[in-house]
Amino acid sequence: MLMRGGTSKGLYFAASDLPADKMMRDLVLLSAMGSPDVRQIDGLGGAHPLTSKAALLSPPTHPAADIDYLFLQVSVDTAEVRDDQNCGNILAGVGPWAVENGFIQAQPDITPVRIHMVNTGTLAVAYVPTPGGTVEYDGLTRIDGVPGTAAAIPIDFLDIAGSSCGALLPTGNVTDEIGGVEVTCVDNGMPVVLIRATDLGKTGHESPAELEADDVLKHRIELIRLAAGPLMNLGDVTKKTVPKMTLLAPAKNGGFISTRSFIPHRVHEAIGVLGAVSVATGCVMPASIASGLTSTKQIEESSTLDIEHPTGAFSVSMKVNGEGKMLKVERAALLRTARKLMKGEVYIKGAIRSADMVENWEHV
Ligand code: NQM
């Protein structure tokens, strides 16, 4: 299926329909998306990292889950398929897909689908609207970054702290100095480096296009990212899509904080789901670099925080206890919507179907 999941779009496959061999699988995905090509003209990708994604679904390998979800980022302009990160937007389509494909029996009203997010080994529960036992995509919920409204899919993340880096504060510190800039590195579902926009000479309210046009800024951010990777237990991140780099500024529209996220080279039109959860978590730590930038609203034991981004705001509900380095996240929850766009067969370049091609694939 081709589905919109939150503010992303991608191909959802039964893993068993793809080659078991990883290289062949990746070649099939690259061909399906039309990569590598900045326009992805010969495939289904939408010429942006947010629309060049894949979900591979399979029977659960976790005892508490209904389905396994492996997220793969298919690069647009290089022949790469990466599994280093999870994706909370594409996750929004997994629940409906699981119901539609018989992984779980629909309940009469709402069907909770327990999803094992294989990239990080963590669990989420998505509540899929299934009135009368079939998935309902239409509804009245609006999420910023998507036109119109659709049926709400609430998602609860159960234990995502340190999902990729092994600790909520991967460097062991609330702040670090990297590349001459004070940062907060945090992983609550997504490894993120928080930076004050003004420390890089920006207001933090620029448009994604303005930020992407600034080569000096992009170079500086990349140097910080490459240095942050090993400090965050991610090793050499030259080719990885993590950590994400988020510029922070005071909120402009009544929210908690304003963000601009490099994911890591293009600037997000909104913000990633788990990216937003990590940003919210970093910003509630009293001594983090967000101190003084957040709205006066203090996080209580249970709070909903509006994380502003270029096309609106993203609400994250969090339940935490403790403070600073001892902060413990009990639960993070949010609302997404998803829509089935197409179901069918995707045609793969003939050359990729032949085993010989594996040796020569760079030339195809
Ligand atoms: O952070 C973009 C997206 C994402 C990832 C990215 C995401 C998340 O918006 O969970 O959803 O950061 O690459 O789909």
Side-chain angles (χ1 to χ4, degrees):
M1 284 187 193
L2 176 67
M3 296 182 91
R4 173 181 67 77
T7 52
S8 281
K9 189 156 62 176
L11 295 175
Y12 290 65
F13 292 95
S16 56
D17 284 347
L18 290 172
D21 177 78
K22 232 176 158 191
M23 183 188 262
M24 283 303 278
R25 179 200 75 185
D26 290 354
L27 289 170
V28 166
L29 291 174
L30 287 163
S31 171
M33 286 295 183
S35 296
D37 168 31
V38 284
R39 291 191 304 147
Q40 293 185 318
I41 196 67
D42 202 23
L44 294 173
H48 192 282
L50 297 178
T51 51
S52 184
K53 301 186 162 197
L56 271 55
L57 294 322
S58 51
T61 55
H62 188 295
D66 300 307
I67 188 166
D68 268 15
Y69 154 51
L70 175 70
F71 169 71
L72 295 173
Q73 179 72 55
V74 183
S75 172
V76 173
D77 54 355
T78 60
E80 278 169 302
V81 177
R82 307 285 323 185
D83 64 4
D84 328 289
Q85 75 167 85
N86 192 356
C87 177
N89 272 307
I90 290 298
L91 171 71
V94 172
W97 192 97
V99 176
E100 290 221 22
N101 288 278
F103 273 65
I104 179 163
Q105 169 107 41
Q107 296 186 16
D109 188 17
I110 303 230
T111 306
V113 183
R114 293 164 304 168
I115 301 164
H116 174 212
M117 302 181 289
V118 176
N119 303 74
T120 50
T122 52
L123 285 175
V125 185
Y127 296 87
V128 182
T130 48
T134 49
V135 177
E136 176 61 74
Y137 291 97
D138 291 332
L140 297 175
T141 298
R142 223 184 74 74
I143 57 172
D144 286 333
V146 179
T149 64
I153 303 175
I155 302 178
D156 256 23
F157 292 103
L158 301 183
D159 181 12
I160 49 174
S163 63
S164 301
C165 305
L168 185 62
L169 288 170
T171 66
N173 306 314
V174 179
T175 62
D176 293 277
E177 193 181 306
I178 303 182
V181 178
E182 202 188 2
V183 300
T184 290
C185 301
V186 58
D187 171 11
N188 194 21
M190 181 67 72
V192 173
V193 178
L194 305 177
I195 308 173
R196 278 185 289 261
T198 49
D199 286 351
L200 296 179
K202 295 288 160 188
T203 63
H205 296 296
E206 293 83 0
S207 68
E210 281 167 331
L211 294 173
E212 284 188 1
D214 189 337
D215 288 332
V216 175
L217 173 78
K218 285 197 295 187
H219 182 65
R220 181 117 192 252
I221 290 179
E222 183 62 0
L223 290 181
I224 299 172
R225 193 180 81 84
L226 294 178
L231 299 174
M232 296 175 75
N233 306 318
L234 292 167
D236 177 2
V237 295
T238 313
K239 291 197 156 195
K240 296 188 180 172
T241 58
V242 286
K244 310 291 176 181
M245 308 298 286
T246 298
L247 305 190
L248 301 178
K252 249 186 157 176
N253 301 306
F256 181 61
I257 193 139
S258 176
T259 61
R260 296 291 183 269
S261 298
F262 286 74
I263 58 166
H265 302 125
R266 300 293 305 268
V267 179
H268 206 304
E269 294 294 329
I271 187 168
V273 169
L274 292 155
V277 174
S278 289
V279 169
T281 310
C283 290
V284 301
M285 291 181 186
S288 82
I289 63 127
S291 308
L293 296 181
T294 53
S295 66
T296 49
K297 180 163 119 190
Q298 281 298 307
I299 183 155
E300 289 145 19
E301 202 184 293
S302 237
S303 290
T304 297
L305 303 172
D306 290 334
I307 309 298
E308 294 185 3
H309 56 67
T311 47
F314 191 116
S315 299
V316 182
S317 299
M318 297 212 329
K319 191 168 187 317
V320 299
N321 63 51
E323 281 194 1
K325 270 179 150 178
M326 303 310 288
L327 185 101
K328 180 136 176 43
V329 184
E330 300 291 344
R331 177 176 164 252
L334 41 89
L335 263 195
R336 295 279 83 188
T337 65
R339 206 165 81 79
K340 174 167 71 170
L341 304 175
M342 198 278 297
K343 181 176 179 178
E345 291 171 26
V346 54
Y347 292 86
I348 303 304
K349 278 187 185 173
I352 288 170
R353 295 196 298 268
S354 104
D356 305 349
M357 199 240 147
V358 172
E359 277 173 21
N360 300 312
W361 67 282
E362 270 168 329
H363 310 296
V364 173

